[in-house]
Amino acid sequence: MESRLTMNQSIFQKLEVSWEYPVYFTENLFDEKNRVFLEAICRKESDKKHRFFIAVDDNVAKAHPGLEEKIFRYVSRHSGELDLVAPIFSIPGGEAAKNEHAWIENIHQKIHSLGLCRQSFVVAIGGGAVLDMVGYASSTPHRGLRLIRIPTTVLSQNDSGVGVKNAINAFGKKNFLGTFAPPFSVINDSQFLLTLSQRDWICGVTEAIKVALLKSPDFFSYLEQHAPLLVNRDISIMQNVVYNCAELHLKHIRTAGDPFEFGHSRPLDFGHWSAHKLESLSQYRLRHGEAVACGIALDTLYSVAMGFFPAEQGNRVIHLFQSLGFSLYQPEMEQENFLHGLAEFREHLGGILCIPLLSAIGSSFEVKDMDAKKIQDAVFFLKKKNL
Ligand SMILES: NC(=O)c1ccc[n+]([C@@H]2O[C@H](COP(=O)([O-])OP(=O)(O)OC[C@H]3O[C@@H](n4cnc5c(N)ncnc54)[C@H](O)[C@@H]3O)[C@@H](O)[C@H]2O)c1
Ligand SMILES: [Zn+2]
């Protein structure tokens, strides 16, 4: 024995684990000549056959009827490296995927019965909701399998799919159960965006407006200038928007010093305290992007009312959302428990409220509380102006 324990002694353990993953931008991912998927899966070990199964958002499968066939052809062409161990597994798209917990059990059952190991892959193709759910489900068996995300909506390509979090909803609370689990690789294929409804095409732009307001006046001006082209579904403008938004999110996660959100501050969650509440109060009638647009409008008006943010810049924010066709007032904003969103946000952050507000386009700061009366004034303003 080397040393004797004396009481109240401690051993201080410090671990540093580094994570890395590529986010690829491509088109026609499963065309036989496209090597991005192969690289995404083989990037650490090129000399072995990789076992994986694929879970796909059912609305993506419906909108891309040839997808399954294309994947099978791709896999058989690269059969030296790829081993697809089960039929493609379809999951109802949208928030239902995060509300119906049976899907988690289903995925666990699959991983178990297929005998997948920690170095096997789960490939998730779909919108942010399906990616969040599949990511959460695959982060627990064997304490985490390798996850490849293939986001198929604007919002998931520019924000949710490129980050390190996943979650499902529980007890009426948005994202109540979740893990921090960085993906193995992310692949953004812009061709998927072509089949989005107009609603899902536009609502993902909210996260680009958010991150531009927090970090980049130039990106905000770009969004203003290209709003009509975005509404008219110009794919090359949308590709730029997705790329820049994803890059700003990735840079924040990489450089802001708190990728796993141990602190109270959550600078990227501008407009989100009310957005999460609006999503659950509306029984998920509102998409995340739509609810965040309302949340941003509210916190922008609040920032102006408090004298933090110039009114002329506030008008530009509201005008940009209007020109993209967003509705910024929702009746749930007048429900008595709407302001409980602040308390729930506080609980989620770890007991201390940190709300990001704007000081200029491209600059934010945080406050520790908000004035309920001024929030209500902002709600009435949105209602009165029919925004
Ligand atoms: N993990 C994170 O860091 C993070 C960050 C932001 C948002 N989110 C979550 O992301 C979710 C929202 O994601 P979303 O905006 O992608 O919505 P979504 O996943 O609900 O998808 C919207 C609709 O589009 C369908 N769809 C998806 N791809 C399609 C395609 N290519 N063609 C046709 N239809 C398609 C879906 O089936 C669904 O009906 C929310 O649950 C939100 O909480 C997570
Ligand atoms: Zn968001």
Side-chain angles (χ1 to χ4, degrees):
M1 195 166 64
E2 299 215 329
S3 50
R4 185 174 293 276
L5 168 72
T6 54
M7 272 314 125
N8 300 330
Q9 193 179 335
S10 66
I11 300 170
F12 187 74
Q13 175 85 321
K14 181 169 179 178
L15 303 174
E16 282 179 20
V17 182
S18 82
W19 298 87
E20 54 183 35
Y21 57 93
V23 178
Y24 301 94
F25 295 82
T26 189
E27 279 178 347
N28 301 312
L29 174 62
F30 293 110
D31 275 7
E32 288 183 37
K33 292 209 176 95
N34 190 328
R35 294 187 63 83
V36 167
F37 184 75
L38 210 54
E39 193 183 315
I41 225 166
C42 300
R43 66 181 184 82
K44 281 210 168 145
E45 297 149 294
S46 53
D47 54 351
K48 83 179 223 202
K49 200 162 164 149
H50 297 279
R51 304 184 75 214
F52 66 101
F53 82 86
I54 299 182
V56 65
D57 186 313
D58 67 346
N59 290 317
V60 177
K62 273 182 223 146
H64 298 262
L67 180 65
E68 188 165 321
E69 186 51 41
K70 253 186 155 171
I71 294 175
F72 290 152
R73 248 186 286 129
Y74 190 93
V75 171
S76 71
R77 187 185 166 113
H78 300 290
S79 58
E81 297 96 339
L82 304 179
D83 184 9
L84 177 59
V85 295
I88 292 173
F89 176 47
S90 161
I91 293 165
E95 207 64 25
K98 290 175 66 165
N99 286 328
E100 179 47 76
H101 294 187
W103 292 112
I104 302 285
E105 175 77 25
N106 234 302
I107 290 173
H108 288 169
Q109 179 67 43
K110 242 184 179 46
I111 291 170
H112 157 68
S113 59
L114 292 166
L116 294 180
C117 71
R118 274 177 65 73
Q119 296 190 356
S120 309
F121 292 82
V122 175
V123 176
I125 307 178
V130 164
L131 298 184
D132 262 9
M133 187 279 285
V134 177
Y136 176 55
S138 52
S139 73
T140 47
H142 304 304
R143 303 197 175 90
L145 274 72
R146 292 173 167 182
L147 174 71
I148 306 240
R149 295 198 197 114
I150 303 180
T152 59
T153 59
V154 170
L155 190 134
S156 56
Q157 292 196 357
N158 71 15
D159 176 356
S160 81
V162 303
V164 297
K165 300 187 276 184
N166 49 57
I168 57 169
N169 309 325
F171 308 110
K173 289 180 180 166
K174 176 86 183 161
N175 297 336
F176 186 71
L177 301 175
T179 54
F180 287 92
F184 189 84
S185 302
V186 181
I187 310 170
N188 280 341
D189 179 345
S190 59
Q191 294 297 301
F192 281 117
L193 307 182
L194 298 175
T195 55
L196 288 171
S197 63
Q198 183 66 9
R199 183 180 183 192
D200 287 304
W201 169 272
I202 279 297
C203 81
V205 178
T206 302
E207 301 285 5
I209 297 174
K210 173 202 77 180
V211 80
L213 283 171
L214 296 172
K215 293 180 183 290
S216 172
D218 287 350
F219 188 32
F220 188 83
S221 302
Y222 182 88
L223 292 165
E224 287 182 310
Q225 282 155 21
H226 295 89
L229 287 171
L230 280 172
V231 171
N232 288 322
R233 298 187 74 117
D234 184 312
I235 187 68
S236 66
I237 302 296
M238 188 58 99
Q239 284 168 334
N240 286 336
V241 168
V242 166
Y243 180 80
N244 282 285
C245 180
E247 190 185 42
L248 286 165
H249 277 91
L250 286 164
K251 184 170 176 204
H252 178 91
I253 295 168
R254 190 171 64 243
T255 61
D258 193 16
F260 283 10
E261 299 175 352
F262 292 122
H264 297 286
S265 160
R266 199 73 66 75
L268 287 180
D269 273 359
F270 177 51
H272 279 57
W273 71 264
S274 56
H276 287 160
K277 192 67 190 167
L278 278 176
E279 284 181 84
S280 57
L281 284 178
S282 73
Q283 315 285 333
Y284 300 98
R285 178 191 82 251
L286 292 174
R287 294 275 203 266
H288 180 71
E290 293 167 339
V292 174
C294 299
I296 291 177
L298 207 56
D299 287 358
T300 296
L301 294 174
Y302 184 88
S303 300
V304 171
M306 295 297 288
F308 302 142
F309 186 50
E312 164 269 324
Q313 295 190 22
N315 291 339
R316 281 174 64 191
V317 178
I318 301 293
H319 183 256
L320 177 54
F321 279 115
Q322 279 184 294
S323 62
L324 293 169
F326 282 93
S327 302
L328 301 176
Y329 166 80
Q330 302 294 338
E332 287 82 3
M333 288 171 156
E334 289 190 80
Q335 280 184 24
E336 214 175 272
N337 50 0
F338 173 58
L339 289 178
H340 290 176
L342 278 173
E344 286 172 16
F345 197 62
R346 177 186 288 119
E347 183 184 306
H348 192 63
L349 295 178
I352 297 178
L353 196 60
C354 283
I355 302 281
L357 293 179
L358 299 173
S359 50
I361 288 178
S363 305
S364 66
F365 67 104
E366 284 173 345
V367 293
K368 300 264 176 281
D369 55 34
M370 288 181 85
D371 180 330
K373 170 78 176 52
K374 287 213 158 56
I375 297 173
Q376 279 156 352
D377 289 347
V379 169
F380 291 133
F381 179 86
L382 291 171
K383 183 179 185 182
K384 207 171 69 203
K385 296 269 172 186
N386 203 16
L387 289 169

